[in-house]
Each structure stands twice: as C-alpha cells, then as structure tokens.
Amino acid sequence: MRSSAHAELAAVRRARLRISVITGAIITLLVAVVGGIAHTVMTHAQDEQVWRELRYGAARGDLSSPPGCTWLYAPGVPRLANAPAGFPVRADLDRVRATGEAVERTVRRDHTVYLVRSQLRADGEMVQAVFDMRFQLADRSYLLRALGAAEAVGLVAAAVTGVVLGRRAVAPLAEALARQRRFVTDASHELRTPVTQVYTRAQVLSRQASAEDLPARHRDELARLVGSAGRLGEVLDDLLLSASLAAGPARRPERRAVDLAELARSVVAEESDRAREGRLTITVDTPPHPLFVDGIESALRRAVAELLTNAIGHTPAHGRITVALGRVRGAVELTVTDTGAGFDPTETERLFERFHRSGRHGRYGLGLALLREVVIHHGGTLAASSRPGSGARFIIRLPEGTGRPAPATAHPVGSGRP
C-alpha cells in the first residue's frame, strides 16, 4: 500500500525511467543498425571484389607471377615457396575434368579463409586459383571493434540523453502535481474559516429553532444543514492533513512521542455519543503502560478516528466494536474489530482508494485513503481482513517510539472539526 504522494512520486519516476529507457533504446538501436549495415556492405563489397579478381586470375593470370595473396596451381607449374599447405584441392580439379564446369568453394584453414576457383582456361589448361582472405578478415575485425566502441559510446550518450530528456519531459508533470498540491492546501486554508463560521451559525440556528418550537420540517432542514457543514469541514481537514503529509520537511508538522494507547482511549471517548445513538458497544483493550510511537499526533488521531468511524458506520444496532492495542515484535499494533456486515476480501485494496464507496453506510471521501497515507508516512503498515457477514478487522502497526511526549502544539493541522 502506498500513499497518494508516494504514488505521484513513483509515477513521475516511472515516466522519467520510461523516457530514458526508450530514448536509450532508440539511440542504441540506431547505432547497432548503422553499424550492422556498414559491416554488411563492407563484407559484401570485399567478397565481390575478391571473387572478381580470383576469376580473372584463374582465367588470365600469369601462373609464374600471380597477384598478391593469390596462388595459381596448374599441372607442370612449380609450386611457389610461400604457397599455403593443402592446396590444390584435388577433388575440385577432378570435378572440373569430369564436367568441364568451373567450381568455386570457401575453405577455412589455418585461422583464415581461402576462396578457391578451379576451371579450364580457353586454351584447355587446368588451373586452380586460391586467394587468402587474411587481410580482409583483419579489416572486418577492426570494423567490428570500432563498431563495438561506437556502441559503447552510444550507450553512454543514450543514457545521458535519456536522463536529460526524461527530466525535461517530465518536469511539467512534476510541476503540475506540485501546483495541484499547493492549490489544495491554499484552497483548504482559505475555506476553513468560512466553513467553520457556517457550521457555528447553523448550530446556533438549530438550537434557536428548537427553543422557539419551529415546525419539525424546518428543524430537520437545519439539522441536515449542520450535518452537511460538519462533513464539509471534515473533508477540508482531510485535505489539509493529506497536503501536510505530502509537503516537504520544512512545511511538515513536527514529530514527537505520542502515547497511542491514551490517544485511542481519547478517540473512543469522543465517539461514545455516536456509539450510544447506534446502540453499539465499544470495548477498549489497552495495557496499563504507555505505548509510544514517534509521529504527528493530529494525523495519528485522525487515523484512529477514521477506523472507529468506519466501524461505527458499518456495524448494525446491538453490535460490538473492539479496540485493542499491544506490542508486537518492536512495533505498536492497534486493531479495530467490528461485528458488521464485513466486505468481500477481493475488495480489500479498493477500500483504500480515494472516493471509493462500499457498504450500506459507505461514503465518498478521503477516509481510508487518508488513513493509509498517515500510516505509510509514519513508517507503518495497514492490513484489513473480513468475510461477508462476519465483520471486519483493521490492523495498524507502527514502529515503537522511545521518547517522552512533548507538550501539545496549538491548532495542529487536521485536528479540529467545525
């Protein structure tokens, strides 16, 4: 599981890597194709030239003084001192005598290649011409080494070019994501005060309506207005918290030691009225000693509250919710279990997607997606399990802290509700 900020960063990195790889592959392929074409053309040209010279020598060459790298064999002609061993090829001469047609072959011997042509000349003399390809093969070897060096240089150039193009091409995407996060943060800050004012005035009007005995329809409308304003405030708090987690270290809230057990008990106490309204039983199982984790208290409080809110919203009347904390292998583990309808195990990952809706009381929002961001930001893990009709279990595991809690800061990001 990864937070949205991490997902955005990973997407930018993947885009850069993809552009770098594609650019590098194209440049490398071009160098390889050009080199392959050059080698093929050179090999073909050399072969054609050598065969032309060999055919001319076999037909008209001076038997006593052949061209360089060429030897001519004929009956009665003395063998040259520098002639390679194993020639002439008797089988080819016998074949020419039998058919009267010229015979050409390639012979690999003594770490080189020989081109051999046997034929009858116009005057009826039997001749076999042999050409040593040693120098042509050396040229091809030099070319291959040069192409290898060019390919290595091309790979380095491709890597550098790919990285540069990747950064330049993806820079607008990264800037757009940064601007989006800044806009969300700025807009949330600007909206926070007027939404709080609307919520407060709606509460006042709702209480006045009850005192003045207004019609039930008007009181219901005011109650819905209060609820809508409250939910809008929650969304703004979620956006601010998400933006603060994605911000750089300079703008990120300071971490401190937080007693997760005490925090969980506090959140349960805050939700006790809702639990009574839903006729639910909430049990808190915490050890008598503190369970410290290093983190942002407001974010951790929001995470625990989201788990409890989720459990309350998905548990029917007379159901039970259990909040348990403990130490597990150097980590602090918080488990929230309910007796609600549960969810399909195949939907586990989608539960933590933004604006995912599930269950009878599910709602579109940041909810569990923000919970995941908070847990990952604190270096922890989040797991969920369920079977339809058998309730659900959510487990948060955070690294155990060692410090003592510092005094609470005033108005932490995401801590308030209108």
Side-chain angles (χ1 to χ4, degrees):
M1 296 179 180
R2 296 159 62 172
S3 68
S4 61
H6 289 173
E8 291 176 359
L9 181 59
V12 171
R13 287 175 177 172
R14 283 196 303 270
R16 287 176 178 171
L17 179 61
R18 190 176 296 113
I19 293 174
S20 300
V21 170
I22 292 175
T23 304
I26 291 175
I27 295 177
T28 303
L29 181 61
L30 286 175
V31 173
V33 169
V34 172
I37 293 174
H39 184 268
T40 301
V41 170
M42 178 180 178
T43 301
H44 180 73
Q46 285 182 338
D47 288 343
E48 287 294 322
Q49 180 182 0
V50 170
W51 278 115
R52 284 196 303 269
E53 294 178 358
L54 192 62
R55 289 163 188 157
Y56 179 84
R60 300 182 179 84
D62 185 353
L63 297 177
S64 61
S65 180
C69 299
T70 304
W71 294 270
L72 299 176
Y73 300 92
V77 177
R79 179 188 178 92
L80 297 178
N82 64 345
F87 294 99
V89 180
R90 301 296 178 182
D92 289 357
L93 295 175
D94 294 341
R95 182 176 174 184
V96 172
R97 287 192 187 97
T99 63
E101 296 180 356
V103 176
E104 293 181 348
R105 73 161 62 224
T106 301
V107 178
R108 298 183 182 275
R109 185 181 297 168
D110 300 330
H111 307 292
T112 186
V113 174
Y114 297 96
L115 301 186
V116 182
R117 178 180 173 85
S118 305
Q119 71 172 61
L120 287 173
R121 286 189 169 183
D123 57 5
E125 187 175 17
M126 179 75 65
V127 176
Q128 185 172 95
V130 178
F131 187 90
D132 188 351
M133 294 282 293
R134 192 181 309 271
F135 295 110
Q136 284 75 11
L137 295 177
D139 290 341
R140 296 175 190 180
S141 178
Y142 294 149
L143 177 60
L144 286 176
R145 285 197 290 268
L147 291 176
E151 186 71 16
V153 174
L155 284 174
V156 174
V160 174
T161 303
V163 171
V164 173
L165 287 180
R167 290 184 178 277
R168 293 180 65 88
V170 179
L173 172 61
E175 179 63 21
L177 292 174
R179 288 181 179 180
Q180 181 186 35
R181 287 193 292 269
R182 288 196 297 270
F183 171 77
V184 171
T185 303
D186 296 342
S188 300
H189 275 296
E190 292 298 325
L191 290 173
R192 193 66 180 82
T193 299
V195 168
T196 302
Q197 293 174 348
V198 170
Y199 178 72
T200 302
R201 291 172 183 172
Q203 283 184 313
V204 172
L205 289 175
S206 180
R207 286 194 291 268
Q208 290 178 349
S210 299
E212 296 175 5
D213 196 21
L214 288 179
R217 180 171 61 86
H218 292 170
R219 290 198 301 271
D220 292 341
E221 291 295 333
L222 284 173
R224 280 194 286 271
L225 176 61
V226 172
S228 297
R231 285 190 293 274
L232 180 58
E234 291 178 0
V235 171
L236 289 176
D237 280 342
D238 290 347
L239 290 173
L240 284 171
L241 177 56
S242 179
S244 69
L245 295 178
R251 300 181 59 185
R252 194 174 296 158
E254 183 180 359
R255 291 192 177 207
R256 64 188 186 89
V258 178
D259 183 359
L260 197 60
E262 177 60 30
L263 186 147
R265 289 190 290 266
S266 173
V267 172
V268 170
E270 292 173 359
E271 297 291 339
S272 59
D273 290 341
R274 289 187 60 194
R276 283 193 295 270
E277 291 176 2
R279 291 173 290 176
L280 303 175
T281 300
I282 301 181
T283 302
V284 183
D285 181 11
T286 61
H289 52 78
L291 293 174
F292 288 114
V293 297
D294 293 329
I296 303 170
E297 182 177 4
S298 59
L300 294 173
R301 179 177 294 275
R302 181 68 184 89
V304 176
E306 177 57 36
L307 277 187
L308 193 57
T309 299
N310 181 73
I312 292 174
H314 289 82
T315 304
H318 309 294
R320 178 179 293 275
I321 299 172
T322 302
V323 179
L325 288 98
R327 286 193 179 95
V328 179
R329 294 188 294 275
V332 176
E333 186 176 273
L334 182 146
T335 304
V336 176
T337 308
D338 63 62
T339 58
F343 56 85
D344 189 339
T346 60
E347 292 287 311
T348 301
E349 180 60 26
R350 295 193 60 200
L351 292 176
F352 301 98
E353 295 178 359
R354 292 194 174 200
F355 307 109
H356 175 65
R357 185 178 180 87
S358 66
R360 178 169 55 91
H361 298 283
R363 64 181 177 87
Y364 291 102
L366 299 176
L368 294 178
L370 179 61
L371 165 64
R372 178 172 64 177
E373 288 189 34
V374 171
V375 172
I376 293 177
H377 177 76
H378 285 78
T381 60
L382 174 63
S385 60
S386 176
R387 287 186 300 172
S390 301
R393 171 177 293 181
F394 290 83
I395 301 175
I396 294 177
R397 185 173 293 177
L398 299 171
E400 186 175 7
T402 57
R404 302 298 302 176
T409 56
H411 306 296
V413 175
S415 63
R417 286 289 183 269

mmCIF file of all heavy atoms in Angstrom, residues 23-47:
data_model
loop_
_atom_site.group_PDB
_atom_site.id
_atom_site.type_symbol
_atom_site.label_atom_id
_atom_site.label_comp_id
_atom_site.label_asym_id
_atom_site.label_seq_id
_atom_site.Cartn_x
_atom_site.Cartn_y
_atom_site.Cartn_z
ATOM 1 N N THR A 23 14.457 6.357 -25.009
ATOM 2 C CA THR A 23 15.463 7.148 -25.729
ATOM 3 C C THR A 23 16.765 6.378 -25.890
ATOM 4 O O THR A 23 17.359 6.342 -26.979
ATOM 5 C CB THR A 23 15.735 8.470 -24.980
ATOM 6 O OG1 THR A 23 14.504 9.182 -24.811
ATOM 7 C CG2 THR A 23 16.710 9.331 -25.749
ATOM 8 N N GLY A 24 17.216 5.759 -24.807
ATOM 9 C CA GLY A 24 18.439 4.965 -24.876
ATOM 10 C C GLY A 24 18.314 3.809 -25.847
ATOM 11 O O GLY A 24 19.246 3.514 -26.616
ATOM 12 N N ALA A 25 17.161 3.142 -25.831
ATOM 13 C CA ALA A 25 16.965 2.010 -26.740
ATOM 14 C C ALA A 25 16.976 2.464 -28.201
ATOM 15 O O ALA A 25 17.557 1.796 -29.068
ATOM 16 C CB ALA A 25 15.649 1.307 -26.414
ATOM 17 N N ILE A 26 16.350 3.609 -28.481
ATOM 18 C CA ILE A 26 16.314 4.103 -29.861
ATOM 19 C C ILE A 26 17.716 4.449 -30.353
ATOM 20 O O ILE A 26 18.123 4.060 -31.452
ATOM 21 C CB ILE A 26 15.385 5.330 -29.956
ATOM 22 C CG1 ILE A 26 13.924 4.903 -29.742
ATOM 23 C CG2 ILE A 26 15.544 6.015 -31.315
ATOM 24 C CD1 ILE A 26 12.959 6.063 -29.699
ATOM 25 N N ILE A 27 18.486 5.192 -29.525
ATOM 26 C CA ILE A 27 19.838 5.572 -29.935
ATOM 27 C C ILE A 27 20.717 4.334 -30.101
ATOM 28 O O ILE A 27 21.465 4.194 -31.081
ATOM 29 C CB ILE A 27 20.458 6.540 -28.916
ATOM 30 C CG1 ILE A 27 19.673 7.866 -28.907
ATOM 31 C CG2 ILE A 27 21.930 6.793 -29.225
ATOM 32 C CD1 ILE A 27 20.166 8.864 -27.883
ATOM 33 N N THR A 28 20.622 3.423 -29.143
ATOM 34 C CA THR A 28 21.416 2.191 -29.231
ATOM 35 C C THR A 28 21.036 1.388 -30.464
ATOM 36 O O THR A 28 21.900 0.851 -31.177
ATOM 37 C CB THR A 28 21.207 1.340 -27.973
ATOM 38 O OG1 THR A 28 21.548 2.112 -26.813
ATOM 39 C CG2 THR A 28 22.065 0.089 -28.007
ATOM 40 N N LEU A 29 19.742 1.297 -30.752
ATOM 41 C CA LEU A 29 19.293 0.549 -31.917
ATOM 42 C C LEU A 29 19.789 1.201 -33.206
ATOM 43 O O LEU A 29 20.213 0.501 -34.143
ATOM 44 C CB LEU A 29 17.761 0.474 -31.917
ATOM 45 C CG LEU A 29 17.121 -0.310 -33.074
ATOM 46 C CD1 LEU A 29 17.583 -1.756 -33.048
ATOM 47 C CD2 LEU A 29 15.609 -0.233 -32.995
ATOM 48 N N LEU A 30 19.747 2.542 -33.241
ATOM 49 C CA LEU A 30 20.233 3.237 -34.435
ATOM 50 C C LEU A 30 21.713 2.960 -34.668
ATOM 51 O O LEU A 30 22.149 2.687 -35.789
ATOM 52 C CB LEU A 30 19.994 4.742 -34.293
ATOM 53 C CG LEU A 30 18.543 5.211 -34.451
ATOM 54 C CD1 LEU A 30 18.446 6.703 -34.171
ATOM 55 C CD2 LEU A 30 18.032 4.898 -35.847
ATOM 56 N N VAL A 31 22.517 3.030 -33.584
ATOM 57 C CA VAL A 31 23.953 2.759 -33.725
ATOM 58 C C VAL A 31 24.173 1.328 -34.191
ATOM 59 O O VAL A 31 25.002 1.052 -35.075
ATOM 60 C CB VAL A 31 24.677 3.018 -32.390
ATOM 61 C CG1 VAL A 31 26.139 2.571 -32.472
ATOM 62 C CG2 VAL A 31 24.604 4.487 -32.015
ATOM 63 N N ALA A 32 23.400 0.393 -33.603
ATOM 64 C CA ALA A 32 23.557 -1.011 -33.979
ATOM 65 C C ALA A 32 23.148 -1.245 -35.432
ATOM 66 O O ALA A 32 23.817 -1.979 -36.171
ATOM 67 C CB ALA A 32 22.731 -1.887 -33.052
ATOM 68 N N VAL A 33 22.044 -0.610 -35.862
ATOM 69 C CA VAL A 33 21.581 -0.791 -37.243
ATOM 70 C C VAL A 33 22.582 -0.205 -38.228
ATOM 71 O O VAL A 33 22.945 -0.845 -39.237
ATOM 72 C CB VAL A 33 20.191 -0.139 -37.421
ATOM 73 C CG1 VAL A 33 19.807 -0.073 -38.887
ATOM 74 C CG2 VAL A 33 19.141 -0.940 -36.658
ATOM 75 N N VAL A 34 23.053 1.020 -37.942
ATOM 76 C CA VAL A 34 24.035 1.643 -38.836
ATOM 77 C C VAL A 34 25.311 0.812 -38.893
ATOM 78 O O VAL A 34 25.881 0.571 -39.968
ATOM 79 C CB VAL A 34 24.339 3.079 -38.371
ATOM 80 C CG1 VAL A 34 25.502 3.663 -39.165
ATOM 81 C CG2 VAL A 34 23.106 3.957 -38.540
ATOM 82 N N GLY A 35 25.767 0.346 -37.732
ATOM 83 C CA GLY A 35 26.958 -0.490 -37.707
ATOM 84 C C GLY A 35 26.758 -1.797 -38.450
ATOM 85 O O GLY A 35 27.643 -2.253 -39.196
ATOM 86 N N GLY A 36 25.592 -2.413 -38.271
ATOM 87 C CA GLY A 36 25.317 -3.659 -38.977
ATOM 88 C C GLY A 36 25.277 -3.469 -40.480
ATOM 89 O O GLY A 36 25.804 -4.305 -41.245
ATOM 90 N N ILE A 37 24.654 -2.373 -40.908
ATOM 91 C CA ILE A 37 24.612 -2.083 -42.348
ATOM 92 C C ILE A 37 26.022 -1.847 -42.895
ATOM 93 O O ILE A 37 26.388 -2.360 -43.964
ATOM 94 C CB ILE A 37 23.711 -0.868 -42.613
ATOM 95 C CG1 ILE A 37 22.250 -1.209 -42.288
ATOM 96 C CG2 ILE A 37 23.837 -0.412 -44.066
ATOM 97 C CD1 ILE A 37 21.308 -0.031 -42.392
ATOM 98 N N ALA A 38 26.833 -1.080 -42.151
ATOM 99 C CA ALA A 38 28.204 -0.810 -42.601
ATOM 100 C C ALA A 38 29.009 -2.097 -42.715
ATOM 101 O O ALA A 38 29.734 -2.316 -43.700
ATOM 102 C CB ALA A 38 28.890 0.160 -41.634
ATOM 103 N N HIS A 39 28.880 -2.959 -41.732
ATOM 104 C CA HIS A 39 29.619 -4.221 -41.760
ATOM 105 C C HIS A 39 29.149 -5.105 -42.910
ATOM 106 O O HIS A 39 29.962 -5.733 -43.613
ATOM 107 C CB HIS A 39 29.446 -4.946 -40.429
ATOM 108 C CG HIS A 39 30.241 -6.208 -40.324
ATOM 109 N ND1 HIS A 39 29.733 -7.442 -40.672
ATOM 110 C CD2 HIS A 39 31.525 -6.423 -39.932
ATOM 111 C CE1 HIS A 39 30.650 -8.363 -40.489
ATOM 112 N NE2 HIS A 39 31.753 -7.775 -40.041
ATOM 113 N N THR A 40 27.828 -5.167 -43.130
ATOM 114 C CA THR A 40 27.290 -5.993 -44.214
ATOM 115 C C THR A 40 27.747 -5.481 -45.578
ATOM 116 O O THR A 40 28.154 -6.254 -46.454
ATOM 117 C CB THR A 40 25.762 -6.012 -44.148
ATOM 118 O OG1 THR A 40 25.360 -6.532 -42.879
ATOM 119 C CG2 THR A 40 25.168 -6.870 -45.255
ATOM 120 N N VAL A 41 27.674 -4.147 -45.759
ATOM 121 C CA VAL A 41 28.082 -3.567 -47.039
ATOM 122 C C VAL A 41 29.564 -3.814 -47.284
ATOM 123 O O VAL A 41 29.978 -4.191 -48.398
ATOM 124 C CB VAL A 41 27.778 -2.054 -47.063
ATOM 125 C CG1 VAL A 41 28.412 -1.389 -48.262
ATOM 126 C CG2 VAL A 41 26.271 -1.833 -47.071
ATOM 127 N N MET A 42 30.387 -3.622 -46.254
ATOM 128 C CA MET A 42 31.828 -3.839 -46.411
ATOM 129 C C MET A 42 32.125 -5.292 -46.744
ATOM 130 O O MET A 42 32.934 -5.586 -47.644
ATOM 131 C CB MET A 42 32.545 -3.436 -45.116
ATOM 132 C CG MET A 42 34.049 -3.674 -45.158
ATOM 133 S SD MET A 42 34.824 -3.184 -43.603
ATOM 134 C CE MET A 42 36.530 -3.629 -43.948
ATOM 135 N N THR A 43 31.490 -6.233 -46.029
ATOM 136 C CA THR A 43 31.730 -7.653 -46.281
ATOM 137 C C THR A 43 31.323 -8.035 -47.701
ATOM 138 O O THR A 43 32.064 -8.733 -48.418
ATOM 139 C CB THR A 43 30.949 -8.502 -45.264
ATOM 140 O OG1 THR A 43 31.373 -8.158 -43.940
ATOM 141 C CG2 THR A 43 31.182 -9.983 -45.495
ATOM 142 N N HIS A 44 30.159 -7.561 -48.120
ATOM 143 C CA HIS A 44 29.676 -7.880 -49.459
ATOM 144 C C HIS A 44 30.605 -7.296 -50.532
ATOM 145 O O HIS A 44 30.947 -7.968 -51.518
ATOM 146 C CB HIS A 44 28.264 -7.336 -49.641
ATOM 147 C CG HIS A 44 27.684 -7.614 -50.986
ATOM 148 N ND1 HIS A 44 27.257 -8.864 -51.385
ATOM 149 C CD2 HIS A 44 27.482 -6.789 -52.065
ATOM 150 C CE1 HIS A 44 26.802 -8.815 -52.630
ATOM 151 N NE2 HIS A 44 26.922 -7.572 -53.065
ATOM 152 N N ALA A 45 31.058 -6.053 -50.336
ATOM 153 C CA ALA A 45 31.932 -5.411 -51.314
ATOM 154 C C ALA A 45 33.274 -6.134 -51.404
ATOM 155 O O ALA A 45 33.816 -6.352 -52.504
ATOM 156 C CB ALA A 45 32.136 -3.947 -50.932
ATOM 157 N N GLN A 46 33.828 -6.518 -50.258
ATOM 158 C CA GLN A 46 35.098 -7.242 -50.277
ATOM 159 C C GLN A 46 34.961 -8.580 -51.002
ATOM 160 O O GLN A 46 35.815 -8.955 -51.823
ATOM 161 C CB GLN A 46 35.600 -7.464 -48.849
ATOM 162 C CG GLN A 46 36.174 -6.221 -48.188
ATOM 163 C CD GLN A 46 36.699 -6.520 -46.795
ATOM 164 O OE1 GLN A 46 36.297 -7.496 -46.169
ATOM 165 N NE2 GLN A 46 37.602 -5.671 -46.324
ATOM 166 N N ASP A 47 33.889 -9.320 -50.671
ATOM 167 C CA ASP A 47 33.696 -10.628 -51.312
ATOM 168 C C ASP A 47 33.552 -10.492 -52.826
ATOM 169 O O ASP A 47 34.154 -11.260 -53.599
ATOM 170 C CB ASP A 47 32.470 -11.317 -50.719
ATOM 171 C CG ASP A 47 32.711 -11.807 -49.301
ATOM 172 O OD1 ASP A 47 33.888 -11.906 -48.912
ATOM 173 O OD2 ASP A 47 31.718 -12.081 -48.585
#
